Amino acid sequence: MKKTALITGATSGIGEACARKFAAGGYDLILTGRNSRRLAALKTELEHGGTEVVGLCFDVRDAKAAQEAIATLTGRWATPDVLINNAGLALGLEKEYEGSMDDWNTMIDTNIKGLLTMTRLVVPGMVERGAGHVINIGSVAGDAAYAGGNVYCATKAAVKTITDGLRIDVAETPIRVTNVKPGLVETNFSRVRFHGDNERADKVYQGIQPLSGDDIADVAFYAASAPPHVQIAEVLVLATHQASGSVVYRSQH
Ligand code: NDP
Ligand code: 8X3
């Protein structure tokens, strides 16, 4: 019986790369996201390659929608072997005293409350079955605040604490809990952060070779593939010329 992985935010970037990596690694997939068109396209593509895929279209901020979507899963799909809590975003880079309260709420509702909702809905089945692995996508941004990062950094610091808390709460079970903390990864992240200002988004990755979604998917897959007694608790993954959330060396050429 093939293993199953549930990946939130699989319609783009790191989540999409995880979908491809886990499919290639022999998993069947439950893919979630809000963009039904991209979700359907990825499902079709992966099914062509022999992966069974269930697509669930919902907003992780909507706990009722999430609950209803997860309730449709039956049989082996009801308790995935791996949950990758990836859906998330940054909005804005303003000073804390000038930031948009709407943006703050969206980040908090998605990155913290959405991740908690999915954890609450999926982990009880893992505990009951005595197997499972939760991989949360945190960030170097959760290690320390950087200029303008304020609320986004706080959400990723929360992801670290929530991940550590879950690891403690399932320590008596075989369930493993991992926090993967990427640095600069070139995805739609900066386009979303700057509300579609692509020129500004492109500058984030100028003068440095950033990570790709595939680089992060490799790390998540490695954690999921470790022997059952090995728990990759936390991994900080940076581009070679990035040293921390606020220290990046950029070449001038
Ligand atoms: P992308 O913008 O490329 O992808 C974000 C994904 O999250 C999309 O699939 C999007 O799907 C989904 N998503 C966003 N909001 C919601 C929501 N409310 N409900 C459901 N799905 C949602 O960015 P990344 O791939 O880079 O980001 C993925 C994760 O990685 C995020 O948690 C981010 O914070 C984290 N990260 C990113 C880094 C980077 O430099 N790129 C570095 C460190 C961490 P859709 O819009 O279709 O719903
Ligand atoms: C994304 C990485 O440094 O742009 O979490 O915040 S950073």
Side-chain angles (χ1 to χ4, degrees), residues 138-141 146 152-153 156 182-185 189-190 193 204 242 245:
S139 172
V140 65
Y146 55 74
Y152 176 68
C153 294
K156 290 301 183 178
L184 290 169
V185 188
F189 178 84
S190 292
R193 167 170 248 170
V204 174
Q242 177 170 20

Side-chain angles (χ1 to χ4, degrees), residues 41-66:
L42 184 60
K43 177 171 152 62
T44 304
E45 179 198 318
L46 296 176
E47 283 174 342
H48 268 309
T51 302
E52 279 190 56
V53 180
V54 174
L56 297 176
C57 196
F58 63 92
D59 187 323
V60 293
R61 291 172 295 173
D62 184 341
K64 188 164 172 283

Side-chain angles (χ1 to χ4, degrees), residues 45-196:
E45 179 198 318
L46 296 176
E47 283 174 342
H48 268 309
T51 302
E52 279 190 56
V53 180
V54 174
L56 297 176
C57 196
F58 63 92
D59 187 323
V60 293
R61 291 172 295 173
D62 184 341
K64 188 164 172 283
Q67 198 163 9
E68 285 169 2
I70 297 303
T72 63
L73 299 171
T74 55
R76 72 188 180 108
W77 299 102
T79 310
D81 295 283
V82 179
L83 166 64
I84 304 184
N85 273 317
N86 161 78
L89 77 174
L91 289 171
L93 203 56
E94 286 83 27
K95 290 181 186 293
E96 192 166 312
Y97 59 87
E98 294 173 336
S100 152
M101 289 195 259
D102 283 346
D103 285 354
W104 295 349
N105 285 327
T106 302
M107 289 187 279
I108 291 165
D109 288 349
T110 310
N111 301 357
I112 304 178
K113 291 162 75 178
L115 178 145
L116 274 173
T117 297
M118 293 307 296
T119 302
R120 182 67 183 85
L121 291 173
V122 173
V123 175
M126 292 180 171
V127 172
E128 198 178 322
R129 199 178 61 173
H133 192 158
V134 178
I135 300 176
N136 290 334
I137 305 299
S139 172
V140 65
D143 284 358
Y146 55 74
N150 43 67
V151 174
Y152 176 68
C153 294
T155 67
K156 290 301 183 178
V159 169
K160 177 185 163 45
T161 306
I162 287 165
T163 311
D164 290 346
L166 180 64
R167 195 179 305 107
I168 293 165
D169 293 340
V170 296
E172 77 242 39
T173 79
I175 295 163
R176 301 182 291 183
V177 184
T178 300
N179 183 11
V180 178
K181 306 188 301 181
L184 290 169
V185 188
E186 192 164 12
T187 61
N188 277 324
F189 178 84
S190 292
R191 280 191 278 275
V192 171
R193 167 170 248 170
F194 299 128
H195 298 279

Side-chain angles (χ1 to χ4, degrees), residues 5 9 38 40 45 55 65 77 91 130 154 167 191 215-216 218 223-224 226 230 236-238 243 247 249-250:
R38 287 216 300 264
E45 179 198 318
W77 299 102
L91 289 171
R167 195 179 305 107
R191 280 191 278 275
D215 296 324
I216 305 309
D218 285 348
V230 178
L236 176 65
V237 194
L238 299 175
V247 177
Y249 170 78
R250 294 179 195 276

